[in-house]
Amino acid sequence: DAKTTQPPSMDCAEGRAANLPCNHSTISGNEYVYWYRQIHSQGPQYIIHGLKNNETNEMASLIITEDRKSSTLILPHATLRDTAVYYCIAGNYGGATNKLIFGTGTLLAVQP
Amino acid sequence: GAVVSQHPSRVICKSGTSVKIECRSLDFQATTMFWYRQFPKQSLMLMATSNEGSKATYEQGVEKDKFLINHASLTLSTLTVTSAHPEDSSFYICSALRHSGKGNEQFFGPGTRLTVL
């Protein structure tokens, strides 16, 4: 799996958009970008994933650069409940590595 | 999203005993499940990949005789920590893989907090 790099922490004001960056410069052509988050003492929660096109669901939007070397997760209107560690992972199920490897993630703190 | 459950959510045991943790996919079938361990203030560390009907694949450094994994059905995988010791105290999390046409999705259980006295 490609290695990902994320800032260790970020702050965001409640009600504002939270933009979480991720670098995955060694991502291969068949690897997807996955985003998960983990609220303290809970299991990780799936947010969104994509291959090369931008994706949007009820939780967030995922913007992937054209060269696929980086992406941004956007939480459009952050709330206090969005405070969590956010993990960006590059992986491909069914390929040589049928698993997700978690990095250190970004601790997003939403401020009131 | 899909639902994955774990049981128990919390367990305290004496050193030397064995503890079994169950992971169930409640609304989909999962031929592949994963087991992770997480120490305080650290990221999740993959322990093993559990495959229905075949042996689990362990990550480097994980003792397969200590962490027994059984994936007997398409909705259930179990992790047994044998002869547990205080250093095995950790947060154990499972996940189940759901196949889709748009890349596969992995859904996580709520975790099991193991404390070995």
Side-chain angles (χ1 to χ4, degrees):
Chain A
D1 290 352
K3 179 179 171 58
T4 62
T5 304
Q6 299 176 253
S9 64
M10 291 181 63
D11 287 344
C12 176
E14 189 177 17
R16 305 296 294 271
N19 297 281
L20 291 90
C22 179
N23 285 318
H24 31 79
S25 58
T26 61
I27 194 169
S28 63
N30 59 358
E31 285 185 315
Y32 287 78
V33 178
Y34 293 85
W35 282 86
Y36 288 82
R37 72 180 183 184
Q38 186 178 27
I39 297 171
H40 183 62
S41 294
Q42 297 182 24
Q45 177 187 22
Y46 167 81
I47 301 174
I48 199 167
H49 75 284
L51 184 61
K52 53 183 178 181
N53 296 321
N54 297 337
E55 301 287 345
T56 295
N57 62 21
E58 64 277 4
M59 287 184 67
S61 295
L62 173 60
I63 309 297
I64 303 174
T65 58
E66 194 169 338
D67 63 8
R68 301 205 333 118
K69 292 185 177 182
S70 66
S71 61
T72 301
L73 178 74
I74 302 173
L75 306 179
H77 305 287
T79 70
L80 298 179
R81 292 195 299 178
D82 292 322
T83 292
V85 178
Y86 287 76
Y87 295 99
C88 165
I89 306 165
N92 174 34
Y93 294 119
T97 54
N98 192 31
K99 56 193 176 186
L100 293 179
I101 303 299
F102 282 75
T104 53
T106 296
L107 173 58
L108 174 69
V110 180
Q111 309 291 345
Chain B
V3 180
V4 175
S5 70
Q6 278 185 246
H7 178 79
S9 59
R10 188 180 295 268
V11 57
I12 300 173
C13 69
K14 293 182 179 180
S15 186
T17 61
S18 294
V19 175
K20 180 186 283 189
I21 303 170
E22 293 185 349
C23 176
R24 295 182 184 271
S25 56
L26 297 185
D27 52 1
F28 67 100
Q29 294 183 330
T31 56
T32 304
M33 293 184 174
F34 302 89
W35 287 96
Y36 295 81
R37 181 166 55 179
Q38 187 175 34
F39 294 108
K41 297 187 178 181
Q42 295 186 21
S43 185
L44 283 76
M45 185 181 72
L46 180 65
M47 299 175 67
T49 302
S50 171
N51 302 297
E52 188 268 337
S54 64
K55 291 182 179 179
T57 304
Y58 291 83
E59 295 299 301
Q60 191 172 9
V62 178
E63 299 175 58
K64 63 179 180 181
D65 294 330
K66 179 167 185 62
F67 299 99
L68 302 179
I69 292 172
N70 184 278
H71 194 154
S73 78
L74 289 173
T75 58
L76 174 65
S77 175
T78 61
L79 169 69
T80 301
V81 183
T82 63
S83 187
H85 288 94
E87 58 265 29
D88 298 322
S89 297
S90 187
F91 192 47
Y92 291 86
I93 308 169
C94 75
S95 68
L97 185 64
R98 184 174 75 177
H99 298 288
S100 75
K102 209 185 73 165
N104 298 316
E105 299 160 321
Q106 191 173 151
F107 296 94
F108 288 80
T112 296
R113 176 80 55 193
L114 171 63
T115 302
V116 185
L117 303 177

